[in-house]
Amino acid sequence: MAGAKPKKEKKPDITFFHPDLLEVPEDGSPPYLKGYRCKKCGQLDFPKLDLCPTCWGKEFDMVPLSRRGTLYSYADCYIGQPGMETPYIIGYVDLPEDLRIFAMLDGKVESFRCDEEVELTVGPIRMNQDGVPITSYKFKKVND
Amino acid sequence: MKLNREVFIAGVGETPFRKHELDFDALGRWAVTQALETSNIDRPDVVQSAYLGNATNGLVTGQTLFKNLGMLSKMPIINVESACSAGAMAVHLAIKDVACGLTEVSMGVGAENHTLHRQAGTAFTPAMSDIETVHGGVMTGKYSMRATRYMHERGATIEDFAMITVKNRKHATHNPHAWFKGEISVEEVVKSRMVAYPMTLHQCCGIADGAGAVVVCSKEMVKKLGIEKPVRVAGSVVTSGPYHNRPRDITGDDITEATSEQLYEESGIGPEEVDILELHDAFTIAELLYYECMGLCKKGDGLKFPARRAVHLRRAVRGQSAGRHALLRSPHRRIRRGPDRRQRQAAARPVRRLPGGSGSARGHESCHRWRSLRHRTRRLHHAHAGQGLVVGALDATG
């Protein structure tokens, strides 16, 4: 139709979550989570926050976080979010930096235990709106 | 919230909780008209403000609900969203209006129809802007993590959790509005479909449709409306939950602990004096945690508490709201207070009755009048949702 505006191209959905949280180095060295230390008061947080919740400092230094932590608790989920394949496993991982990370766990259901050591890995967590997997941080058993 | 002046519950209304063909607004009108009727309100310009708690049914839900009751443009209608505690939050705001002297009569309403609008067989999540949600976070899984840690630290078993369902279904038997009620065995609960280990289907609250409404008013209005047996609100506390990104104990709940403590202090009613508790047990593990957080038993004694309660079940106050909330009566209290034990046992056989003396058997547990031999009944209502919480203490006079 003459004069009609060209249809706006739909922006592709994300396939990586999220550069502020996870670094996957191009040189093949191991991935790491990104902590943020407040330049004003020194508090370390993950994920990145708009303001330091303690002193409202606005500037942070990025600190690579430990790749290994302790699995505080976990759940084998058989009923999940709409559109997500089940079962999947979620867990809380406590890092030595006094931070707790909520993440999906890579492994089999009924295989994890509280207080076991787990390590960071990278893998698909869900499909995006275009049906392409989104890559993010996950944890797995050490040496698995 | 310290109440600036006395606030009373004039009347309540409630629909049964189950799958409904009626949408949220029709369910809401069902509860609202009942609440107005039991409050002896017979014209559209008496209520001065209304709050509607609704989480998933769209925009301007309150205005839609009240559209043909003749009350629009006569009062502000404010919509409240707070997931599971939306309705309780609405009641809190109505209490606040009257307590502050902004209004003489206000309404708090909760109305929701889930099943007409959501995909069956999926779990609830916060918004997708939440990092945990992106990584598969669901409420069922999060409470299961609490349960798994509780098992790890305390040696609890899945049967311990299942006992809570058995008790609550029994308590719900005589509640005409409860969905899940009656006999169920521990084995049936354990063997029901696994939702997120160790929470099986019968340990998770059903996704139900329904509505409840509460009319609150000042002391003066109690007289004007001719409310024979008003219920005094002894206190109401809401807080937002703290931000968590560090290791912490999830076999407790900081929000419930903080608000309960504040309420006990502000109302002058301690946990040992509560006769009836309506506790938000969306999952069996939640109830187990809250026993300790609300001071019903000592820290570390939570696991022993339900077993003890089951022993006393025959004497416990029966009934439950919608088959998803526990109703407790502190058995140790009756035992400890010897002199009037007989009277207290008699009090544990309440006859449900709506305020205003309609004699109908309909109504919400927490807002309901209980006719008992005891002169005063102290009731506590608890609601919890993600980052928010409401605790209200109701003190029945008369």
Side-chain angles (χ1 to χ4, degrees), chain B residues 102-120:
Chain B
L102 293 172
T103 63
E104 295 300 312
V105 185
S106 287
M107 279 195 100
V109 184
E112 195 92 27
N113 190 313
H114 291 297
T115 61
L116 282 180
H117 307 285
R118 74 177 272 118
Q119 185 189 338

Side-chain angles (χ1 to χ4, degrees), chain B residues 309-322:
Chain B
R309 180 156 316 285
V311 172
H312 291 86
L313 198 61
R314 293 179 68 82
R315 280 186 289 164
V317 171
R318 299 180 187 115
Q320 193 207 39
S321 88

Side-chain angles (χ1 to χ4, degrees), chain B residues 31-341:
Chain B
V32 164
T33 48
Q34 206 179 74
L36 293 169
E37 207 175 297
T38 56
S39 306
N40 301 338
I41 294 172
D42 55 6
R43 42 175 232 272
D45 60 351
V46 175
V47 180
Q48 294 164 308
S49 71
Y51 295 87
L52 174 68
N54 177 284
T56 63
N57 293 138
L59 307 178
V60 289
T61 44
Q63 292 86 329
T64 309
L65 189 155
F66 280 95
K67 68 184 173 191
N68 54 10
L69 296 179
M71 295 163 81
L72 292 185
S73 80
K74 294 186 175 67
M75 60 170 180
I77 298 169
I78 296 173
N79 302 307
V80 182
E81 191 286 300
S82 183
C84 310
S85 62
M89 208 73 93
V91 174
H92 173 85
L93 292 168
I95 291 168
K96 195 166 158 182
D97 276 1
V98 175
C100 295
L102 293 172
T103 63
E104 295 300 312
V105 185
S106 287
M107 279 195 100
V109 184
E112 195 92 27
N113 190 313
H114 291 297
T115 61
L116 282 180
H117 307 285
R118 74 177 272 118
Q119 185 189 338
T122 55
F124 281 104
T125 61
M128 277 306 283
S129 57
D130 182 85
I131 292 174
E132 298 189 356
T133 306
V134 177
H135 290 87
V138 281
M139 298 326 293
T140 43
K142 288 190 173 183
Y143 276 90
S144 292
M145 286 204 277
R146 288 176 180 269
T148 296
R149 189 68 199 183
Y150 196 95
M151 290 166 97
H152 177 73
E153 284 184 18
R154 312 263 189 115
T157 62
I158 190 168
E159 285 79 14
D160 288 323
F161 300 136
M163 282 280 290
I164 289 171
T165 302
V166 174
K167 170 183 73 66
N168 291 357
R169 294 266 178 116
K170 206 173 258 188
H171 278 170
T173 303
H174 301 286
N175 181 346
H177 292 171
W179 191 7
F180 301 113
K181 50 189 173 182
E183 295 287 331
I184 188 164
S185 67
V186 167
E187 202 189 354
E188 279 176 274
V189 176
V190 171
K191 286 194 170 162
S192 61
R193 182 179 174 190
M194 189 58 74
V195 173
Y197 186 85
M199 292 294 113
T200 54
L201 184 67
H202 289 319
Q203 295 183 68
C204 305
C205 62
I207 293 175
D209 312 321
V214 181
V215 174
V216 292
C217 68
S218 63
K219 196 169 190 176
E220 202 186 325
M221 281 309 290
V222 166
K223 284 183 206 144
K224 279 190 186 165
L225 294 171
I227 307 297
E228 284 173 27
K229 290 186 175 179
V231 174
R232 186 174 67 85
V233 178
S236 181
V237 176
V238 177
T239 190
S240 51
Y243 175 75
H244 291 299
N245 64 347
R246 295 183 201 285
R248 64 178 177 118
D249 180 13
I250 60 169
T251 65
D253 178 66
D254 45 13
I255 319 177
T256 295
E257 203 167 305
T259 42
S260 302
E261 264 173 37
Q262 192 185 335
L263 181 72
Y264 296 146
E265 199 182 312
E266 287 183 4
S267 66
I269 298 170
E272 69 287 349
E273 292 175 282
V274 173
D275 297 302
I276 299 170
L277 165 63
E278 191 187 39
L279 182 145
H280 190 151
D281 66 332
F283 305 97
T284 52
I285 178 63
E287 178 169 332
L288 205 50
L289 305 182
Y290 298 145
Y291 291 150
E292 293 176 22
C293 300
M294 300 184 89
L296 301 176
C297 66
K298 279 190 217 150
K299 287 262 174 209
D301 282 355
L303 197 54
K304 286 186 249 165
F305 196 62
R308 206 168 147 193
R309 180 156 316 285
V311 172
H312 291 86
L313 198 61
R314 293 179 68 82
R315 280 186 289 164
V317 171
R318 299 180 187 115
Q320 193 207 39
S321 88
R324 50 170 225 164
H325 293 291
L327 189 74
L328 308 174
R329 186 185 168 93
S330 185
H332 57 266
R333 182 172 172 251
R334 277 203 303 281
I335 292 159
R336 203 167 58 212
R337 296 192 177 180
D340 56 352
R341 186 175 163 194

